[in-house]
Short mmCIF file of all heavy atoms in Angstrom, two decimals:
data_model
loop_
_atom_site.label_atom_id
_atom_site.label_comp_id
_atom_site.label_asym_id
_atom_site.label_seq_id
_atom_site.Cartn_x
_atom_site.Cartn_y
_atom_site.Cartn_z
N SER A 1 -27.78 3.74 -59.74
CA SER A 1 -26.33 3.64 -59.69
C SER A 1 -25.97 2.17 -59.58
O SER A 1 -26.80 1.35 -59.18
CB SER A 1 -25.77 4.41 -58.48
OG SER A 1 -26.25 3.84 -57.28
N PRO A 2 -24.74 1.80 -59.95
CA PRO A 2 -24.34 0.40 -59.80
C PRO A 2 -24.36 0.00 -58.33
O PRO A 2 -24.05 0.81 -57.45
CB PRO A 2 -22.92 0.37 -60.36
CG PRO A 2 -22.76 1.63 -61.13
CD PRO A 2 -23.66 2.63 -60.50
N LEU A 3 -24.72 -1.23 -58.05
CA LEU A 3 -24.70 -1.73 -56.68
C LEU A 3 -24.49 -3.24 -56.72
O LEU A 3 -24.85 -3.89 -57.71
CB LEU A 3 -25.97 -1.39 -55.91
CG LEU A 3 -27.24 -2.20 -56.17
CD1 LEU A 3 -28.24 -1.95 -55.05
CD2 LEU A 3 -27.87 -1.89 -57.50
N PRO A 4 -23.91 -3.80 -55.67
CA PRO A 4 -23.77 -5.25 -55.63
C PRO A 4 -25.13 -5.90 -55.41
O PRO A 4 -25.82 -5.60 -54.44
CB PRO A 4 -22.83 -5.49 -54.43
CG PRO A 4 -22.98 -4.26 -53.59
CD PRO A 4 -23.29 -3.13 -54.51
N ILE A 5 -25.51 -6.76 -56.34
CA ILE A 5 -26.79 -7.45 -56.22
C ILE A 5 -26.56 -8.76 -55.47
O ILE A 5 -26.22 -9.78 -56.05
CB ILE A 5 -27.42 -7.72 -57.60
CG1 ILE A 5 -27.59 -6.41 -58.38
CG2 ILE A 5 -28.75 -8.42 -57.44
CD1 ILE A 5 -28.66 -5.50 -57.85
N THR A 6 -26.72 -8.71 -54.17
CA THR A 6 -26.58 -9.89 -53.33
C THR A 6 -27.87 -10.71 -53.40
O THR A 6 -28.91 -10.22 -53.85
CB THR A 6 -26.31 -9.48 -51.88
OG1 THR A 6 -27.43 -8.72 -51.40
CG2 THR A 6 -25.05 -8.63 -51.78
N PRO A 7 -27.83 -11.96 -52.95
CA PRO A 7 -29.07 -12.76 -52.96
C PRO A 7 -30.22 -12.08 -52.22
O PRO A 7 -31.39 -12.22 -52.61
CB PRO A 7 -28.64 -14.07 -52.27
CG PRO A 7 -27.18 -14.18 -52.57
CD PRO A 7 -26.66 -12.77 -52.56
N GLU A 8 -29.88 -11.32 -51.18
CA GLU A 8 -30.93 -10.64 -50.40
C GLU A 8 -31.57 -9.50 -51.18
O GLU A 8 -32.68 -9.07 -50.85
CB GLU A 8 -30.34 -10.08 -49.10
CG GLU A 8 -29.83 -11.14 -48.13
CD GLU A 8 -28.46 -11.69 -48.51
OE1 GLU A 8 -27.78 -11.08 -49.36
OE2 GLU A 8 -28.09 -12.75 -47.97
N ARG A 9 -30.89 -8.99 -52.22
CA ARG A 9 -31.42 -7.87 -52.99
C ARG A 9 -31.89 -8.27 -54.38
O ARG A 9 -32.35 -7.42 -55.15
CB ARG A 9 -30.34 -6.78 -53.14
CG ARG A 9 -29.80 -6.25 -51.83
CD ARG A 9 -28.86 -5.08 -52.06
NE ARG A 9 -28.12 -4.80 -50.83
CZ ARG A 9 -26.81 -4.98 -50.68
NH1 ARG A 9 -26.09 -5.38 -51.71
NH2 ARG A 9 -26.23 -4.72 -49.53
N ALA A 10 -31.78 -9.53 -54.72
CA ALA A 10 -31.98 -9.94 -56.10
C ALA A 10 -33.45 -10.04 -56.52
O ALA A 10 -33.75 -9.94 -57.71
CB ALA A 10 -31.29 -11.28 -56.35
N LYS A 11 -34.35 -10.21 -55.58
CA LYS A 11 -35.74 -10.46 -55.99
C LYS A 11 -36.41 -9.20 -56.50
O LYS A 11 -37.08 -9.22 -57.54
CB LYS A 11 -36.54 -11.05 -54.82
CG LYS A 11 -37.98 -11.37 -55.21
CD LYS A 11 -38.72 -12.11 -54.10
CE LYS A 11 -40.14 -12.45 -54.55
NZ LYS A 11 -40.89 -13.21 -53.51
N TRP A 12 -36.24 -8.08 -55.80
CA TRP A 12 -37.03 -6.90 -56.12
C TRP A 12 -36.23 -5.77 -56.75
O TRP A 12 -36.81 -4.80 -57.23
CB TRP A 12 -37.73 -6.39 -54.85
CG TRP A 12 -38.81 -7.32 -54.38
CD1 TRP A 12 -38.72 -8.26 -53.40
CD2 TRP A 12 -40.14 -7.42 -54.89
NE1 TRP A 12 -39.91 -8.93 -53.26
CE2 TRP A 12 -40.81 -8.43 -54.16
CE3 TRP A 12 -40.84 -6.74 -55.90
CZ2 TRP A 12 -42.13 -8.79 -54.41
CZ3 TRP A 12 -42.17 -7.09 -56.14
CH2 TRP A 12 -42.80 -8.10 -55.40
N SER A 13 -34.91 -5.85 -56.76
CA SER A 13 -34.09 -4.75 -57.29
C SER A 13 -33.51 -5.09 -58.66
O SER A 13 -33.04 -6.21 -58.88
CB SER A 13 -32.93 -4.42 -56.34
OG SER A 13 -33.40 -3.83 -55.15
N VAL A 14 -33.54 -4.10 -59.54
CA VAL A 14 -32.77 -4.14 -60.78
C VAL A 14 -31.96 -2.84 -60.85
O VAL A 14 -32.28 -1.87 -60.16
CB VAL A 14 -33.66 -4.27 -62.04
CG1 VAL A 14 -34.43 -5.58 -62.02
CG2 VAL A 14 -34.62 -3.09 -62.18
N ALA A 15 -30.91 -2.83 -61.66
CA ALA A 15 -30.05 -1.65 -61.77
C ALA A 15 -30.06 -1.13 -63.19
O ALA A 15 -29.94 -1.90 -64.15
CB ALA A 15 -28.63 -1.99 -61.34
N MET A 16 -30.22 0.18 -63.33
CA MET A 16 -30.24 0.79 -64.65
C MET A 16 -28.85 1.03 -65.24
O MET A 16 -28.66 0.89 -66.45
CB MET A 16 -31.02 2.11 -64.61
CG MET A 16 -32.46 1.98 -64.15
SD MET A 16 -33.35 0.63 -64.99
CE MET A 16 -33.27 1.16 -66.71
N PRO A 17 -27.83 1.44 -64.46
CA PRO A 17 -26.51 1.64 -65.05
C PRO A 17 -25.88 0.33 -65.53
O PRO A 17 -26.29 -0.76 -65.12
CB PRO A 17 -25.69 2.24 -63.90
CG PRO A 17 -26.70 2.75 -62.94
CD PRO A 17 -27.87 1.83 -63.06
N GLN A 18 -24.88 0.47 -66.35
CA GLN A 18 -24.17 -0.70 -66.84
C GLN A 18 -23.45 -1.39 -65.69
O GLN A 18 -22.89 -0.74 -64.82
CB GLN A 18 -23.14 -0.28 -67.89
CG GLN A 18 -23.72 0.44 -69.09
CD GLN A 18 -23.93 1.93 -68.85
OE1 GLN A 18 -23.84 2.42 -67.72
NE2 GLN A 18 -24.20 2.66 -69.91
N PRO A 19 -23.44 -2.72 -65.67
CA PRO A 19 -22.70 -3.43 -64.62
C PRO A 19 -21.21 -3.18 -64.78
O PRO A 19 -20.69 -3.09 -65.90
CB PRO A 19 -23.06 -4.90 -64.85
CG PRO A 19 -23.47 -4.98 -66.28
CD PRO A 19 -24.11 -3.66 -66.59
N VAL A 20 -20.53 -3.06 -63.68
CA VAL A 20 -19.10 -2.74 -63.70
C VAL A 20 -18.29 -3.71 -64.56
O VAL A 20 -17.46 -3.26 -65.36
CB VAL A 20 -18.57 -2.67 -62.25
CG1 VAL A 20 -17.05 -2.66 -62.22
CG2 VAL A 20 -19.13 -1.43 -61.55
N PRO A 21 -18.48 -5.03 -64.48
CA PRO A 21 -17.66 -5.92 -65.31
C PRO A 21 -17.81 -5.70 -66.81
O PRO A 21 -16.83 -5.79 -67.56
CB PRO A 21 -18.13 -7.32 -64.91
CG PRO A 21 -18.67 -7.16 -63.53
CD PRO A 21 -19.31 -5.81 -63.53
N ILE A 22 -19.02 -5.39 -67.26
CA ILE A 22 -19.24 -5.18 -68.70
C ILE A 22 -18.61 -3.88 -69.17
O ILE A 22 -17.91 -3.82 -70.19
CB ILE A 22 -20.74 -5.23 -69.03
CG1 ILE A 22 -21.24 -6.67 -68.99
CG2 ILE A 22 -21.02 -4.62 -70.42
CD1 ILE A 22 -22.72 -6.83 -69.31
N VAL A 23 -18.85 -2.80 -68.44
CA VAL A 23 -18.31 -1.52 -68.87
C VAL A 23 -16.81 -1.45 -68.60
O VAL A 23 -16.06 -0.79 -69.33
CB VAL A 23 -19.06 -0.36 -68.20
CG1 VAL A 23 -18.65 -0.15 -66.77
CG2 VAL A 23 -18.91 0.93 -68.98
N GLY A 24 -16.33 -2.18 -67.58
CA GLY A 24 -14.90 -2.20 -67.32
C GLY A 24 -14.12 -2.88 -68.43
O GLY A 24 -13.02 -2.45 -68.78
N LYS A 25 -14.70 -3.92 -69.01
CA LYS A 25 -14.00 -4.71 -70.02
C LYS A 25 -13.58 -3.86 -71.22
O LYS A 25 -12.52 -4.11 -71.82
CB LYS A 25 -14.91 -5.85 -70.48
CG LYS A 25 -14.26 -6.85 -71.44
CD LYS A 25 -13.17 -7.64 -70.77
CE LYS A 25 -12.83 -8.93 -71.52
NZ LYS A 25 -12.52 -8.76 -72.93
N VAL A 26 -14.37 -2.86 -71.58
CA VAL A 26 -14.01 -2.04 -72.74
C VAL A 26 -12.74 -1.25 -72.45
O VAL A 26 -11.93 -1.00 -73.36
CB VAL A 26 -15.18 -1.11 -73.15
CG1 VAL A 26 -15.35 0.07 -72.18
CG2 VAL A 26 -14.98 -0.58 -74.57
N MET A 27 -12.51 -0.87 -71.20
CA MET A 27 -11.27 -0.18 -70.84
C MET A 27 -10.09 -1.14 -70.77
O MET A 27 -8.99 -0.83 -71.24
CB MET A 27 -11.44 0.55 -69.50
CG MET A 27 -12.45 1.67 -69.51
SD MET A 27 -12.43 2.65 -67.99
CE MET A 27 -13.08 1.46 -66.82
N TYR A 28 -10.31 -2.31 -70.19
CA TYR A 28 -9.21 -3.26 -70.05
C TYR A 28 -8.75 -3.78 -71.41
O TYR A 28 -7.55 -3.99 -71.61
CB TYR A 28 -9.62 -4.42 -69.14
CG TYR A 28 -10.27 -3.99 -67.85
CD1 TYR A 28 -11.32 -4.71 -67.29
CD2 TYR A 28 -9.86 -2.83 -67.18
CE1 TYR A 28 -11.93 -4.32 -66.12
CE2 TYR A 28 -10.47 -2.42 -66.00
CZ TYR A 28 -11.51 -3.17 -65.49
OH TYR A 28 -12.13 -2.77 -64.32
N ASP A 29 -9.69 -3.97 -72.32
CA ASP A 29 -9.31 -4.37 -73.68
C ASP A 29 -8.46 -3.28 -74.34
O ASP A 29 -7.50 -3.58 -75.06
CB ASP A 29 -10.55 -4.65 -74.53
CG ASP A 29 -11.22 -5.97 -74.18
OD1 ASP A 29 -10.57 -6.83 -73.54
OD2 ASP A 29 -12.40 -6.15 -74.54
N HIS A 30 -8.84 -2.03 -74.10
CA HIS A 30 -8.07 -0.93 -74.66
C HIS A 30 -6.67 -0.89 -74.04
O HIS A 30 -5.67 -0.67 -74.74
CB HIS A 30 -8.80 0.40 -74.44
CG HIS A 30 -8.17 1.56 -75.14
ND1 HIS A 30 -7.19 2.34 -74.56
CD2 HIS A 30 -8.36 2.06 -76.39
CE1 HIS A 30 -6.82 3.28 -75.40
NE2 HIS A 30 -7.51 3.14 -76.52
N MET A 31 -6.59 -1.08 -72.72
CA MET A 31 -5.28 -1.15 -72.06
C MET A 31 -4.41 -2.22 -72.70
O MET A 31 -3.22 -2.00 -73.00
CB MET A 31 -5.45 -1.44 -70.57
CG MET A 31 -6.08 -0.34 -69.74
SD MET A 31 -6.25 -0.87 -68.00
CE MET A 31 -7.17 0.51 -67.31
N LYS A 32 -4.98 -3.39 -72.91
CA LYS A 32 -4.23 -4.50 -73.50
C LYS A 32 -3.72 -4.14 -74.88
O LYS A 32 -2.56 -4.44 -75.23
CB LYS A 32 -5.14 -5.73 -73.58
CG LYS A 32 -4.45 -7.00 -74.05
CD LYS A 32 -3.54 -7.56 -72.99
CE LYS A 32 -2.98 -8.91 -73.41
NZ LYS A 32 -2.03 -9.46 -72.41
N SER A 33 -4.56 -3.47 -75.66
CA SER A 33 -4.16 -3.10 -77.03
C SER A 33 -3.03 -2.08 -77.04
O SER A 33 -2.29 -1.97 -78.03
CB SER A 33 -5.36 -2.55 -77.81
OG SER A 33 -5.71 -1.24 -77.36
N LYS A 34 -2.90 -1.33 -75.95
CA LYS A 34 -1.85 -0.31 -75.86
C LYS A 34 -0.60 -0.83 -75.15
O LYS A 34 0.32 -0.06 -74.86
CB LYS A 34 -2.38 0.92 -75.13
CG LYS A 34 -3.54 1.60 -75.84
CD LYS A 34 -3.16 2.08 -77.24
CE LYS A 34 -4.31 2.77 -77.94
NZ LYS A 34 -3.97 3.20 -79.31
N GLY A 35 -0.58 -2.11 -74.83
CA GLY A 35 0.61 -2.69 -74.21
C GLY A 35 0.76 -2.39 -72.73
O GLY A 35 1.87 -2.50 -72.18
N ILE A 36 -0.30 -2.02 -72.06
CA ILE A 36 -0.25 -1.71 -70.63
C ILE A 36 0.05 -2.99 -69.83
O ILE A 36 -0.57 -4.03 -70.05
CB ILE A 36 -1.58 -1.10 -70.15
CG1 ILE A 36 -1.88 0.21 -70.90
CG2 ILE A 36 -1.59 -0.90 -68.64
CD1 ILE A 36 -0.85 1.28 -70.70
N LYS A 37 0.99 -2.89 -68.91
CA LYS A 37 1.33 -4.02 -68.06
C LYS A 37 1.04 -3.75 -66.58
O LYS A 37 0.73 -4.67 -65.82
CB LYS A 37 2.82 -4.37 -68.22
CG LYS A 37 3.19 -4.91 -69.59
CD LYS A 37 2.52 -6.25 -69.85
CE LYS A 37 2.96 -6.86 -71.17
NZ LYS A 37 2.29 -8.16 -71.44
N THR A 38 1.18 -2.49 -66.16
CA THR A 38 0.97 -2.14 -64.75
C THR A 38 -0.08 -1.04 -64.64
O THR A 38 -0.12 -0.11 -65.46
CB THR A 38 2.28 -1.68 -64.09
OG1 THR A 38 2.83 -0.58 -64.83
CG2 THR A 38 3.28 -2.82 -64.06
N ILE A 39 -0.92 -1.14 -63.60
CA ILE A 39 -2.05 -0.23 -63.43
C ILE A 39 -2.05 0.32 -62.01
O ILE A 39 -1.84 -0.42 -61.04
CB ILE A 39 -3.39 -0.97 -63.68
CG1 ILE A 39 -3.39 -1.61 -65.07
CG2 ILE A 39 -4.58 -0.02 -63.51
CD1 ILE A 39 -4.50 -2.62 -65.25
N GLY A 40 -2.27 1.61 -61.87
CA GLY A 40 -2.52 2.22 -60.58
C GLY A 40 -4.00 2.50 -60.44
O GLY A 40 -4.69 2.73 -61.43
N TYR A 41 -4.49 2.46 -59.23
CA TYR A 41 -5.93 2.69 -58.99
C TYR A 41 -6.12 3.73 -57.90
O TYR A 41 -5.48 3.67 -56.85
CB TYR A 41 -6.62 1.39 -58.57
CG TYR A 41 -8.09 1.58 -58.24
CD1 TYR A 41 -9.03 1.67 -59.25
CD2 TYR A 41 -8.52 1.69 -56.92
CE1 TYR A 41 -10.38 1.86 -58.94
CE2 TYR A 41 -9.85 1.87 -56.61
CZ TYR A 41 -10.78 1.97 -57.64
OH TYR A 41 -12.11 2.17 -57.34
N ILE A 42 -7.02 4.69 -58.15
CA ILE A 42 -7.48 5.60 -57.12
C ILE A 42 -9.00 5.70 -57.25
O ILE A 42 -9.53 5.96 -58.34
CB ILE A 42 -6.81 7.00 -57.22
CG1 ILE A 42 -7.35 7.91 -56.11
CG2 ILE A 42 -6.95 7.61 -58.61
CD1 ILE A 42 -6.55 9.21 -55.95
N GLY A 43 -9.68 5.48 -56.13
CA GLY A 43 -11.13 5.48 -56.17
C GLY A 43 -11.72 5.89 -54.84
O GLY A 43 -11.02 6.10 -53.85
N TYR A 44 -13.04 6.01 -54.83
CA TYR A 44 -13.75 6.38 -53.61
C TYR A 44 -13.50 5.35 -52.51
O TYR A 44 -13.38 4.14 -52.77
CB TYR A 44 -15.24 6.45 -53.86
CG TYR A 44 -15.71 7.66 -54.63
CD1 TYR A 44 -16.81 7.57 -55.49
CD2 TYR A 44 -15.09 8.91 -54.50
CE1 TYR A 44 -17.27 8.67 -56.18
CE2 TYR A 44 -15.55 10.01 -55.20
CZ TYR A 44 -16.64 9.89 -56.05
OH TYR A 44 -17.10 10.97 -56.74
#
């Protein structure tokens, strides 16, 4: 699962899922193309 890779975790851990910034960008680009100006967020 995605996790924050802090300096303390960087030596031995790798993550298999896509990093949030890379996978998030495909949504934000789509929002921009649709003229979205305001966003609501609900999450864990």
Side-chain angles (χ1 to χ4, degrees):
S1 63
L3 78 164
I5 304 289
T6 61
E8 295 79 15
R9 302 186 193 113
K11 182 173 182 179
W12 291 98
S13 291
V14 297
M16 301 312 299
Q18 302 83 348
V20 167
I22 285 180
V23 77
K25 186 67 161 53
V26 74
M27 295 189 291
Y28 312 143
D29 285 342
H30 188 270
M31 291 179 186
K32 186 72 173 177
S33 73
K34 297 300 181 181
I36 300 299
K37 293 295 184 181
T38 56
I39 304 165
Y41 177 79
I42 180 169
Y44 285 147

